[in-house]
C-alpha cells in the first residue's frame, strides 16, 4: 500500500453531533473495528420520567440523555462525564450510572493495553500450512485495523490479518502455578476469514522461552489482545 493511500485511509475529520464533538475517520469503512456507533436517543416525548429512579421530569428536574446508551435520565442518575473513546468523542461526555463504569474500564484498555498492542511482541508463529514456526514480531497497526506480523527474513517475511475478519480467539495456557491461581497464558490461536478463500484460516502465536524479558512482553501482549477481542465482539453485537 502506498503512503498516499495509507494517509487517505487514516485521515480524520472533526464532526459535531447532538452528543458532542467527535474525531472520526474521513471514510467510515476505515474506522477502528473496536469502535461503537452513537446510539439513537430515546425521544423526549417517550420519557416523562427518569429511566433509572423514576423521578418525574418538570421545570426543575431536567432530562439528560446518556451518550453511550441513549436512554433518558435525571441529572442525579446521569451526571458523570467520562471519556468515551470507542465513539471517538474529543471530550468526556455525560453518561448514566450504568454506562460510566464500563467506559472507565475501557479507558484502561486504551491507556495501557492498546499501547502494548501497538508496540508489539515477539512470538513463534505457526500458520496452518507451515511445517515449523517462524519467529515474528506481531503488533497492531496504528489505525487498529490490522495485525502486522514481520519475520526475520528467513520465513514468510510479512503478513497482515484484518482485525475485523477475526472470527475466533482462543487462549493457550499451561498448568496452574503452585498454590493455585490462574493458568499462565503461553499463546493464542486466531481464526479469521481471508478474501476470496472459503472457510477459516488459522494461525497460532506462542511465546518463546527467552530469558531477556521478551516472554513477559509476549504474555502481556496476549492478555491485551484477549481484551481487544472482547471489544471486537461487542462492536459486532451492537
Amino acid at each position: 500500500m502506498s503512503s498516499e493511500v495509507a494517509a487517505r485511509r487514516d485521515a480524520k475529520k472533526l464532526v459535531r453531533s447532538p452528543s458532542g464533538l467527535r474525531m472520526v475517520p474521513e471514510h467510515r469503512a476505515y474506522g477502528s473495528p473496536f469502535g461503537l456507533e452513537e446510539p439513537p436517543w430515546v425521544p423526549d416525548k417517550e420519557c416523562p420520567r427518569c429511566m433509572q429512579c423514576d423521578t418525574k421530569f418538570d421545570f426543575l428536574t431536567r432530562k439528560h440523555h446518556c451518550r453511550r446508551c441513549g436512554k433518558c435520565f435525571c441529572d442525579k442518575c446521569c451526571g458523570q462525564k467520562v471519556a468515551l473513546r470507542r465513539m471517538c468523542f474529543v471530550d468526556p461526555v455525560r453518561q448514566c450510572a450504568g454506562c460510566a463504569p464500563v467506559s472507565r474500564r475501557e479507558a484502561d484498555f486504551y491507556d495501557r493495553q492498546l499501547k502494548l498492542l501497538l508496540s508489539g511482541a515477539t512470538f513463534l508463529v505457526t500458520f496452518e500450512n507451515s511445517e515449523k514456526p517462524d519467529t515474528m514480531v506481531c503488533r497492531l497497526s496504528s489505525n487498529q485495523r490490522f495485525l502486522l506480523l514481520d519475520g526475520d527474513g528467513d520465513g514468510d517475511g510479512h503478513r497482515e490479518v484484518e482485525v475485523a475478519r477475526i472470527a475466533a480467539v482462543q487462549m493457550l495456557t499451561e498448568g496452574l502455578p503452585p498454590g493455585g491461581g490462574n493458568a499462565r497464558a503461553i499463546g493464542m490461536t486466531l481464526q479469521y476469514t481471508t478474501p476470496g478463500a472459503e472457510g477459516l484460516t488459522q494461525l497460532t502465536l506462542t511465546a518463546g522461552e527467552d530469558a531477556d524479558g521478551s516472554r513477559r512482553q509476549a504474555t502481556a501482549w496476549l492478555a491485551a489482545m484477549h481484551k481487544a477481542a472482547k471489544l471486537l465482539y461487542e462492536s459486532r453485537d451492537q
Side-chain angles (χ1 to χ4, degrees):
M1 183 189 303
S2 70
S3 58
E4 183 179 346
V5 173
R8 189 163 60 247
R9 288 190 171 188
D10 292 344
K12 295 187 177 183
K13 61 182 178 180
L14 189 65
V15 299
R16 181 180 294 277
S17 75
S19 298
L21 287 174
R22 302 171 66 216
M23 185 64 73
V24 301
E26 283 276 2
H27 304 281
R28 186 174 179 180
Y30 301 144
S32 168
F34 309 123
L36 295 174
E37 296 291 334
E38 282 190 82
W41 284 10
V42 174
D44 287 350
K45 62 182 180 180
E46 295 182 11
C47 53
R49 295 177 177 272
C50 173
M51 300 179 76
Q52 177 65 38
C53 69
D54 205 38
T55 296
K56 185 177 181 180
F57 296 122
D58 54 28
F59 180 74
L60 295 178
T61 305
R62 304 286 301 277
K63 62 184 64 175
H64 303 279
H65 286 87
C66 172
R67 272 49 174 174
R68 186 181 180 105
C69 68
K71 295 180 180 179
C72 196
F73 304 93
C74 68
D75 183 68
K76 180 185 292 186
C77 296
C78 193
Q80 303 178 66
K81 290 192 174 182
V82 181
L84 185 45
R85 294 171 68 176
R86 291 184 74 186
M87 292 185 190
C88 303
F89 284 109
V90 174
D91 301 308
V93 292
R94 188 182 292 272
Q95 296 181 56
C96 67
C99 289
V102 177
S103 293
R104 288 195 181 96
R105 288 195 295 270
E106 291 173 352
D108 180 68
F109 169 78
Y110 281 94
D111 292 337
R112 297 173 53 200
Q113 293 164 313
L114 183 59
K115 292 179 181 179
L116 284 171
L117 294 176
L118 293 171
S119 62
T122 301
F123 295 95
L124 296 175
V125 182
T126 306
F127 298 94
E128 58 184 4
N129 57 352
S130 301
E131 295 183 359
K132 63 183 183 66
D134 294 312
T135 299
M136 307 183 82
V137 174
C138 184
R139 62 183 177 85
L140 186 68
S141 64
S142 59
N143 60 13
Q144 305 170 21
R145 297 184 60 244
F146 295 91
L147 287 181
L148 308 177
L149 297 102
D150 291 291
D152 55 11
D154 296 329
D156 287 307
H158 178 79
R159 295 282 193 101
E160 294 184 359
V161 176
E162 189 172 357
V163 172
R165 292 184 174 275
I166 295 176
V169 174
Q170 182 178 356
M171 295 292 288
L172 305 176
T173 60
E174 60 183 13
L176 295 174
N182 297 323
R184 184 175 62 164
I186 60 170
M188 172 180 287
T189 296
L190 300 174
Q191 293 183 320
Y192 56 95
T193 58
T194 303
E198 295 183 1
L200 296 175
T201 303
Q202 179 172 300
L203 68 83
T204 300
L205 307 173
T206 305
E209 295 293 342
D210 297 341
D212 60 359
S214 62
R215 183 183 177 92
R216 180 178 299 178
Q217 175 76 6
T219 301
W221 194 96
L222 291 170
M225 186 61 202
H226 189 245
K227 174 62 176 178
K230 291 181 179 180
L231 298 185
L232 178 64
Y233 298 152
E234 289 173 6
S235 297
R236 291 175 180 166
D237 293 339
Q238 186 185 33

Short mmCIF file of all heavy atoms in Angstrom, two decimals, residues 149-206:
data_model
loop_
_atom_site.label_atom_id
_atom_site.label_comp_id
_atom_site.label_asym_id
_atom_site.label_seq_id
_atom_site.Cartn_x
_atom_site.Cartn_y
_atom_site.Cartn_z
N LEU A 149 2.47 -8.88 11.09
CA LEU A 149 3.45 -9.88 11.50
C LEU A 149 4.68 -9.76 10.62
O LEU A 149 4.58 -9.89 9.39
CB LEU A 149 2.87 -11.29 11.41
CG LEU A 149 1.66 -11.58 12.33
CD1 LEU A 149 0.37 -11.54 11.52
CD2 LEU A 149 1.81 -12.92 13.01
N ASP A 150 5.81 -9.48 11.23
CA ASP A 150 7.05 -9.29 10.48
C ASP A 150 8.10 -10.29 10.97
O ASP A 150 8.39 -10.36 12.17
CB ASP A 150 7.56 -7.87 10.66
CG ASP A 150 6.66 -6.86 9.97
OD1 ASP A 150 6.63 -6.85 8.73
OD2 ASP A 150 5.96 -6.10 10.68
N GLY A 151 8.66 -11.03 10.02
CA GLY A 151 9.66 -12.04 10.34
C GLY A 151 11.07 -11.51 10.23
O GLY A 151 11.30 -10.33 9.97
N ASP A 152 12.02 -12.41 10.41
CA ASP A 152 13.43 -12.03 10.38
C ASP A 152 14.06 -12.21 9.01
O ASP A 152 15.27 -12.13 8.84
CB ASP A 152 14.22 -12.85 11.41
CG ASP A 152 14.04 -14.35 11.21
OD1 ASP A 152 13.49 -14.75 10.16
OD2 ASP A 152 14.46 -15.12 12.10
N GLY A 153 13.19 -12.49 8.03
CA GLY A 153 13.71 -12.64 6.67
C GLY A 153 13.90 -14.08 6.24
O GLY A 153 14.06 -14.35 5.05
N ASP A 154 13.86 -15.02 7.18
CA ASP A 154 14.08 -16.42 6.83
C ASP A 154 12.78 -17.16 6.57
O ASP A 154 12.77 -18.26 6.03
CB ASP A 154 14.83 -17.14 7.96
CG ASP A 154 16.22 -16.55 8.15
OD1 ASP A 154 16.80 -16.10 7.15
OD2 ASP A 154 16.71 -16.55 9.30
N GLY A 155 11.63 -16.54 6.99
CA GLY A 155 10.35 -17.21 6.83
C GLY A 155 9.47 -16.49 5.83
O GLY A 155 9.88 -16.18 4.72
N ASP A 156 8.26 -16.20 6.24
CA ASP A 156 7.30 -15.58 5.34
C ASP A 156 7.48 -14.07 5.23
O ASP A 156 6.79 -13.43 4.44
CB ASP A 156 5.87 -15.89 5.82
CG ASP A 156 5.50 -17.34 5.56
OD1 ASP A 156 5.64 -17.77 4.41
OD2 ASP A 156 5.10 -18.04 6.50
N GLY A 157 8.35 -13.47 6.01
CA GLY A 157 8.61 -12.05 5.88
C GLY A 157 7.56 -11.18 6.51
O GLY A 157 7.71 -10.76 7.66
N HIS A 158 6.48 -10.91 5.78
CA HIS A 158 5.44 -10.00 6.27
C HIS A 158 4.06 -10.58 5.99
O HIS A 158 3.79 -11.05 4.88
CB HIS A 158 5.58 -8.63 5.60
CG HIS A 158 4.54 -7.66 6.02
ND1 HIS A 158 4.59 -6.95 7.21
CD2 HIS A 158 3.39 -7.26 5.40
CE1 HIS A 158 3.52 -6.17 7.30
NE2 HIS A 158 2.78 -6.34 6.22
N ARG A 159 3.22 -10.54 7.00
CA ARG A 159 1.83 -10.97 6.86
C ARG A 159 0.94 -9.91 7.52
O ARG A 159 1.36 -9.23 8.45
CB ARG A 159 1.58 -12.32 7.55
CG ARG A 159 2.31 -13.51 6.95
CD ARG A 159 1.64 -14.02 5.68
NE ARG A 159 2.16 -15.33 5.31
CZ ARG A 159 1.54 -16.49 5.54
NH1 ARG A 159 0.39 -16.50 6.18
NH2 ARG A 159 2.08 -17.63 5.15
N GLU A 160 -0.30 -9.83 7.05
CA GLU A 160 -1.28 -8.95 7.65
C GLU A 160 -2.59 -9.70 7.85
O GLU A 160 -3.00 -10.47 6.99
CB GLU A 160 -1.55 -7.72 6.77
CG GLU A 160 -0.35 -6.78 6.63
CD GLU A 160 -0.69 -5.53 5.83
OE1 GLU A 160 -1.86 -5.40 5.39
OE2 GLU A 160 0.20 -4.68 5.66
N VAL A 161 -3.22 -9.46 9.01
CA VAL A 161 -4.53 -10.04 9.29
C VAL A 161 -5.46 -8.88 9.62
O VAL A 161 -5.19 -8.10 10.54
CB VAL A 161 -4.48 -11.02 10.48
CG1 VAL A 161 -5.88 -11.52 10.82
CG2 VAL A 161 -3.55 -12.19 10.18
N GLU A 162 -6.54 -8.75 8.87
CA GLU A 162 -7.50 -7.69 9.15
C GLU A 162 -8.28 -8.03 10.42
O GLU A 162 -8.91 -9.10 10.50
CB GLU A 162 -8.45 -7.50 7.97
CG GLU A 162 -9.32 -6.27 8.10
CD GLU A 162 -10.13 -5.97 6.85
OE1 GLU A 162 -9.97 -6.70 5.84
OE2 GLU A 162 -10.93 -5.02 6.88
N VAL A 163 -8.22 -7.15 11.39
CA VAL A 163 -8.83 -7.42 12.70
C VAL A 163 -10.32 -7.70 12.57
O VAL A 163 -10.87 -8.59 13.24
CB VAL A 163 -8.58 -6.24 13.66
CG1 VAL A 163 -9.36 -6.42 14.96
CG2 VAL A 163 -7.09 -6.10 13.97
N ALA A 164 -11.00 -6.96 11.70
CA ALA A 164 -12.44 -7.14 11.55
C ALA A 164 -12.81 -8.53 11.03
O ALA A 164 -13.96 -8.96 11.18
CB ALA A 164 -13.00 -6.07 10.61
N ARG A 165 -11.83 -9.24 10.44
CA ARG A 165 -12.10 -10.57 9.90
C ARG A 165 -11.80 -11.69 10.90
O ARG A 165 -11.97 -12.86 10.57
CB ARG A 165 -11.29 -10.78 8.61
CG ARG A 165 -11.76 -9.90 7.46
CD ARG A 165 -11.01 -10.22 6.18
NE ARG A 165 -11.55 -9.48 5.05
CZ ARG A 165 -12.58 -9.89 4.32
NH1 ARG A 165 -13.16 -11.04 4.60
NH2 ARG A 165 -13.00 -9.17 3.31
N ILE A 166 -11.34 -11.33 12.09
CA ILE A 166 -11.07 -12.36 13.09
C ILE A 166 -12.40 -12.93 13.58
O ILE A 166 -13.29 -12.21 14.04
CB ILE A 166 -10.28 -11.78 14.27
CG1 ILE A 166 -8.89 -11.35 13.79
CG2 ILE A 166 -10.15 -12.80 15.40
CD1 ILE A 166 -8.05 -10.67 14.86
N ALA A 167 -12.54 -14.25 13.47
CA ALA A 167 -13.79 -14.92 13.85
C ALA A 167 -13.73 -15.55 15.22
O ALA A 167 -14.75 -15.67 15.91
CB ALA A 167 -14.13 -15.99 12.80
N ALA A 168 -12.56 -15.99 15.65
CA ALA A 168 -12.44 -16.67 16.94
C ALA A 168 -11.03 -16.48 17.49
O ALA A 168 -10.05 -16.46 16.74
CB ALA A 168 -12.75 -18.16 16.79
N VAL A 169 -10.97 -16.35 18.80
CA VAL A 169 -9.71 -16.22 19.52
C VAL A 169 -9.71 -17.20 20.68
O VAL A 169 -10.66 -17.23 21.46
CB VAL A 169 -9.50 -14.79 20.05
CG1 VAL A 169 -8.25 -14.71 20.92
CG2 VAL A 169 -9.42 -13.79 18.91
N GLN A 170 -8.68 -18.00 20.78
CA GLN A 170 -8.58 -18.97 21.88
C GLN A 170 -7.22 -18.84 22.55
O GLN A 170 -6.18 -18.92 21.90
CB GLN A 170 -8.76 -20.40 21.37
CG GLN A 170 -8.70 -21.45 22.49
CD GLN A 170 -8.93 -22.86 21.97
OE1 GLN A 170 -9.19 -23.06 20.79
NE2 GLN A 170 -8.81 -23.84 22.85
N MET A 171 -7.26 -18.62 23.87
CA MET A 171 -6.01 -18.53 24.62
C MET A 171 -5.45 -19.92 24.85
O MET A 171 -6.19 -20.87 25.10
CB MET A 171 -6.26 -17.84 25.96
CG MET A 171 -6.69 -16.38 25.85
SD MET A 171 -5.38 -15.30 25.23
CE MET A 171 -4.29 -15.26 26.66
N LEU A 172 -4.14 -20.04 24.78
CA LEU A 172 -3.44 -21.28 25.09
C LEU A 172 -2.74 -21.10 26.43
O LEU A 172 -2.01 -20.13 26.63
CB LEU A 172 -2.42 -21.61 24.00
CG LEU A 172 -2.97 -21.68 22.57
CD1 LEU A 172 -1.83 -21.92 21.57
CD2 LEU A 172 -4.03 -22.76 22.44
N THR A 173 -2.97 -22.02 27.35
CA THR A 173 -2.41 -21.88 28.69
C THR A 173 -1.68 -23.14 29.09
O THR A 173 -1.82 -24.20 28.47
CB THR A 173 -3.52 -21.59 29.72
OG1 THR A 173 -4.46 -22.68 29.73
CG2 THR A 173 -4.26 -20.31 29.39
N GLU A 174 -0.87 -23.02 30.14
CA GLU A 174 -0.23 -24.19 30.72
C GLU A 174 -0.54 -24.24 32.20
O GLU A 174 -1.05 -23.27 32.76
CB GLU A 174 1.28 -24.17 30.47
CG GLU A 174 2.01 -22.99 31.04
CD GLU A 174 3.49 -23.02 30.68
OE1 GLU A 174 3.89 -23.80 29.79
OE2 GLU A 174 4.27 -22.26 31.28
N GLY A 175 -0.19 -25.35 32.84
CA GLY A 175 -0.64 -25.71 34.18
C GLY A 175 -0.79 -24.61 35.22
O GLY A 175 -0.24 -23.54 35.10
N LEU A 176 -1.56 -24.89 36.22
CA LEU A 176 -1.77 -23.96 37.32
C LEU A 176 -0.49 -23.80 38.13
O LEU A 176 0.23 -24.77 38.37
CB LEU A 176 -2.89 -24.45 38.24
CG LEU A 176 -4.30 -24.52 37.62
CD1 LEU A 176 -5.26 -25.18 38.60
CD2 LEU A 176 -4.79 -23.14 37.25
N PRO A 177 -0.19 -22.58 38.58
CA PRO A 177 1.01 -22.37 39.39
C PRO A 177 0.86 -22.99 40.77
O PRO A 177 -0.26 -23.23 41.24
CB PRO A 177 1.11 -20.84 39.48
CG PRO A 177 -0.30 -20.38 39.31
CD PRO A 177 -0.93 -21.34 38.35
N PRO A 178 1.96 -23.30 41.46
CA PRO A 178 1.89 -23.86 42.82
C PRO A 178 1.10 -22.93 43.74
O PRO A 178 1.26 -21.72 43.71
CB PRO A 178 3.37 -23.94 43.25
CG PRO A 178 4.13 -23.97 41.96
CD PRO A 178 3.36 -23.15 41.00
N GLY A 179 0.22 -23.54 44.55
CA GLY A 179 -0.58 -22.74 45.47
C GLY A 179 -1.86 -22.22 44.86
O GLY A 179 -2.60 -21.46 45.49
N GLY A 180 -2.13 -22.58 43.60
CA GLY A 180 -3.37 -22.14 42.96
C GLY A 180 -3.17 -20.88 42.15
O GLY A 180 -2.06 -20.40 41.95
N GLY A 181 -4.28 -20.33 41.69
CA GLY A 181 -4.23 -19.13 40.86
C GLY A 181 -4.62 -19.45 39.43
O GLY A 181 -5.12 -20.54 39.13
N ASN A 182 -4.39 -18.51 38.55
CA ASN A 182 -4.77 -18.68 37.15
C ASN A 182 -3.66 -19.35 36.35
O ASN A 182 -2.48 -19.18 36.63
CB ASN A 182 -5.08 -17.31 36.52
CG ASN A 182 -6.26 -16.63 37.18
OD1 ASN A 182 -7.23 -17.28 37.56
ND2 ASN A 182 -6.19 -15.31 37.30
N ALA A 183 -4.09 -20.14 35.36
CA ALA A 183 -3.13 -20.76 34.47
C ALA A 183 -2.40 -19.68 33.67
O ALA A 183 -2.94 -18.63 33.38
CB ALA A 183 -3.84 -21.73 33.53
N ARG A 184 -1.14 -19.95 33.32
CA ARG A 184 -0.34 -18.96 32.62
C ARG A 184 -0.59 -19.03 31.12
O ARG A 184 -0.57 -20.10 30.51
CB ARG A 184 1.14 -19.21 32.91
CG ARG A 184 2.06 -18.17 32.28
CD ARG A 184 3.50 -18.38 32.68
NE ARG A 184 4.02 -19.66 32.22
CZ ARG A 184 5.32 -19.95 32.16
NH1 ARG A 184 6.20 -19.06 32.57
NH2 ARG A 184 5.72 -21.13 31.73
N ALA A 185 -0.82 -17.86 30.51
CA ALA A 185 -1.03 -17.79 29.07
C ALA A 185 0.31 -17.97 28.37
O ALA A 185 1.30 -17.32 28.71
CB ALA A 185 -1.64 -16.46 28.68
N ILE A 186 0.36 -18.88 27.41
CA ILE A 186 1.58 -19.11 26.65
C ILE A 186 1.39 -18.87 25.16
O ILE A 186 2.36 -18.88 24.39
CB ILE A 186 2.10 -20.55 26.86
CG1 ILE A 186 1.04 -21.56 26.39
CG2 ILE A 186 2.48 -20.79 28.31
CD1 ILE A 186 1.56 -22.99 26.33
N GLY A 187 0.15 -18.64 24.74
CA GLY A 187 -0.08 -18.44 23.31
C GLY A 187 -1.53 -18.15 23.00
O GLY A 187 -2.37 -18.01 23.88
N MET A 188 -1.81 -18.07 21.71
CA MET A 188 -3.16 -17.73 21.26
C MET A 188 -3.35 -18.29 19.85
O MET A 188 -2.44 -18.24 19.02
CB MET A 188 -3.34 -16.21 21.27
CG MET A 188 -4.62 -15.69 20.66
SD MET A 188 -4.70 -13.87 20.74
CE MET A 188 -5.01 -13.64 22.49
N THR A 189 -4.54 -18.81 19.60
CA THR A 189 -4.92 -19.25 18.27
C THR A 189 -5.95 -18.28 17.70
O THR A 189 -6.93 -17.97 18.36
CB THR A 189 -5.50 -20.68 18.29
OG1 THR A 189 -4.49 -21.59 18.73
CG2 THR A 189 -5.97 -21.10 16.92
N LEU A 190 -5.69 -17.80 16.50
CA LEU A 190 -6.61 -16.89 15.82
C LEU A 190 -7.18 -17.58 14.59
O LEU A 190 -6.43 -18.18 13.81
CB LEU A 190 -5.89 -15.62 15.38
CG LEU A 190 -5.24 -14.75 16.45
CD1 LEU A 190 -4.45 -13.62 15.80
CD2 LEU A 190 -6.30 -14.17 17.37
N GLN A 191 -8.47 -17.49 14.41
CA GLN A 191 -9.12 -17.97 13.19
C GLN A 191 -9.76 -16.76 12.51
O GLN A 191 -10.43 -15.96 13.16
CB GLN A 191 -10.17 -19.03 13.50
CG GLN A 191 -9.58 -20.33 14.03
CD GLN A 191 -10.64 -21.39 14.25
OE1 GLN A 191 -11.73 -21.09 14.73
NE2 GLN A 191 -10.32 -22.63 13.92
N TYR A 192 -9.55 -16.63 11.22
CA TYR A 192 -10.03 -15.46 10.51
C TYR A 192 -10.38 -15.81 9.07
O TYR A 192 -9.91 -16.82 8.52
CB TYR A 192 -8.97 -14.35 10.54
CG TYR A 192 -7.63 -14.74 9.99
CD1 TYR A 192 -7.28 -14.47 8.67
CD2 TYR A 192 -6.69 -15.41 10.78
CE1 TYR A 192 -6.05 -14.85 8.16
CE2 TYR A 192 -5.45 -15.78 10.28
CZ TYR A 192 -5.14 -15.50 8.97
OH TYR A 192 -3.92 -15.88 8.47
N THR A 193 -11.21 -14.98 8.48
CA THR A 193 -11.58 -15.18 7.09
C THR A 193 -10.59 -14.43 6.21
O THR A 193 -10.03 -13.40 6.59
CB THR A 193 -13.00 -14.66 6.81
OG1 THR A 193 -13.08 -13.27 7.15
CG2 THR A 193 -14.02 -15.44 7.63
N THR A 194 -10.39 -14.96 5.02
CA THR A 194 -9.49 -14.36 4.04
C THR A 194 -10.27 -14.06 2.77
O THR A 194 -11.01 -14.93 2.28
CB THR A 194 -8.33 -15.31 3.71
OG1 THR A 194 -7.64 -15.66 4.92
CG2 THR A 194 -7.35 -14.66 2.75
N PRO A 195 -10.16 -12.85 2.22
CA PRO A 195 -10.89 -12.52 0.99
C PRO A 195 -10.61 -13.52 -0.12
O PRO A 195 -9.46 -13.86 -0.40
CB PRO A 195 -10.35 -11.12 0.63
CG PRO A 195 -9.89 -10.54 1.93
CD PRO A 195 -9.35 -11.70 2.71
N GLY A 196 -11.68 -14.03 -0.73
CA GLY A 196 -11.53 -14.96 -1.84
C GLY A 196 -11.32 -16.40 -1.44
O GLY A 196 -11.23 -17.27 -2.32
N ALA A 197 -11.22 -16.67 -0.14
CA ALA A 197 -10.99 -18.05 0.31
C ALA A 197 -12.20 -18.55 1.09
O ALA A 197 -12.90 -17.78 1.75
CB ALA A 197 -9.75 -18.12 1.19
N GLU A 198 -12.44 -19.84 1.00
CA GLU A 198 -13.54 -20.45 1.74
C GLU A 198 -13.05 -20.90 3.11
O GLU A 198 -11.89 -21.26 3.30
CB GLU A 198 -14.10 -21.65 0.98
CG GLU A 198 -14.75 -21.29 -0.35
CD GLU A 198 -15.37 -22.49 -1.03
OE1 GLU A 198 -15.30 -23.60 -0.45
OE2 GLU A 198 -15.90 -22.34 -2.15
N GLY A 199 -13.96 -20.89 4.07
CA GLY A 199 -13.62 -21.36 5.41
C GLY A 199 -12.73 -20.36 6.14
O GLY A 199 -12.57 -19.21 5.76
N LEU A 200 -12.15 -20.85 7.24
CA LEU A 200 -11.34 -20.01 8.11
C LEU A 200 -9.86 -20.37 7.98
O LEU A 200 -9.50 -21.53 7.80
CB LEU A 200 -11.78 -20.19 9.57
CG LEU A 200 -13.20 -19.75 9.93
CD1 LEU A 200 -13.52 -20.11 11.38
CD2 LEU A 200 -13.38 -18.25 9.71
N THR A 201 -9.03 -19.36 8.08
CA THR A 201 -7.59 -19.55 8.14
C THR A 201 -7.15 -19.45 9.59
O THR A 201 -7.73 -18.69 10.37
CB THR A 201 -6.87 -18.47 7.31
OG1 THR A 201 -7.35 -18.52 5.96
CG2 THR A 201 -5.36 -18.68 7.32
N GLN A 202 -6.16 -20.21 9.98
CA GLN A 202 -5.73 -20.24 11.39
C GLN A 202 -4.24 -19.96 11.52
O GLN A 202 -3.44 -20.38 10.69
CB GLN A 202 -6.05 -21.60 12.00
CG GLN A 202 -5.61 -21.74 13.47
CD GLN A 202 -6.12 -23.01 14.10
OE1 GLN A 202 -7.31 -23.25 14.19
NE2 GLN A 202 -5.20 -23.87 14.52
N LEU A 203 -3.91 -19.21 12.55
CA LEU A 203 -2.51 -19.05 12.92
C LEU A 203 -2.40 -19.15 14.43
O LEU A 203 -3.34 -18.84 15.15
CB LEU A 203 -1.92 -17.74 12.39
CG LEU A 203 -2.39 -16.40 12.97
CD1 LEU A 203 -1.67 -16.05 14.26
CD2 LEU A 203 -2.17 -15.29 11.95
N THR A 204 -1.25 -19.57 14.90
CA THR A 204 -1.02 -19.73 16.33
C THR A 204 0.20 -18.91 16.74
O THR A 204 1.26 -18.99 16.10
CB THR A 204 -0.79 -21.21 16.68
OG1 THR A 204 -1.94 -21.97 16.31
CG2 THR A 204 -0.56 -21.37 18.18
N LEU A 205 0.03 -18.11 17.79
CA LEU A 205 1.12 -17.33 18.37
C LEU A 205 1.56 -18.02 19.66
O LEU A 205 0.72 -18.29 20.53
CB LEU A 205 0.67 -15.91 18.68
CG LEU A 205 0.02 -15.10 17.55
CD1 LEU A 205 -0.52 -13.78 18.10
CD2 LEU A 205 1.01 -14.86 16.44
N THR A 206 2.83 -18.30 19.81
CA THR A 206 3.34 -18.93 21.02
C THR A 206 4.49 -18.11 21.58
O THR A 206 5.42 -17.75 20.84
CB THR A 206 3.84 -20.36 20.72
OG1 THR A 206 2.79 -21.12 20.10
CG2 THR A 206 4.24 -21.06 22.02
#
